Amino acid sequence: MVKLGNIAIAGHNFDNHTFFSDLNKIEIDDEIYIYSNSNKKYTYVVYDTFETTSDDLEVLHTKLLSRKELTLLTCNNSNKKRFIVKAFLKT
């Protein structure tokens, strides 16, 4: 069972279509699937994408404490910023 709060996953951007290289192509309302060790599927819906500075840790905080969130983050190799995807657990 996923508890309230934020799950954050950081991945490398190698600009070669591996790991989080194509994360910037994700769009609002896209679905992200996370599987537990017991193969239970959790579906998250993207509600925001943006760039921020590499020292901005605010993105790791849960925006709404009553919601289960997912944050994906990677570097943007073109301008040294971080690309962020925020999603909420679909119920």
Side-chain angles (χ1 to χ4, degrees), residues 38-73:
S38 61
N39 211 31
K40 179 169 173 37
K41 179 180 174 181
Y42 296 92
T43 302
Y44 289 84
V45 179
V46 175
Y47 71 86
D48 197 9
T49 64
F50 57 94
E51 286 187 341
T52 190
T53 59
S54 61
D55 61 347
D56 180 8
L57 299 179
E58 184 68 25
V59 300
L60 301 177
H61 297 169
T62 303
K63 291 195 177 191
L64 296 174
L65 295 177
S66 62
R67 193 178 339 196
K68 298 170 185 176
E69 288 190 343
L70 172 68
T71 302
L72 304 179
L73 58 148

Side-chain angles (χ1 to χ4, degrees), residues 23-37:
L23 192 59
N24 64 336
K25 295 178 182 174
I26 204 162
E27 297 180 357
I28 303 300
D29 293 327
D30 281 354
E31 292 185 346
I32 300 167
Y33 308 111
I34 304 288
Y35 292 86
S36 71
N37 287 341

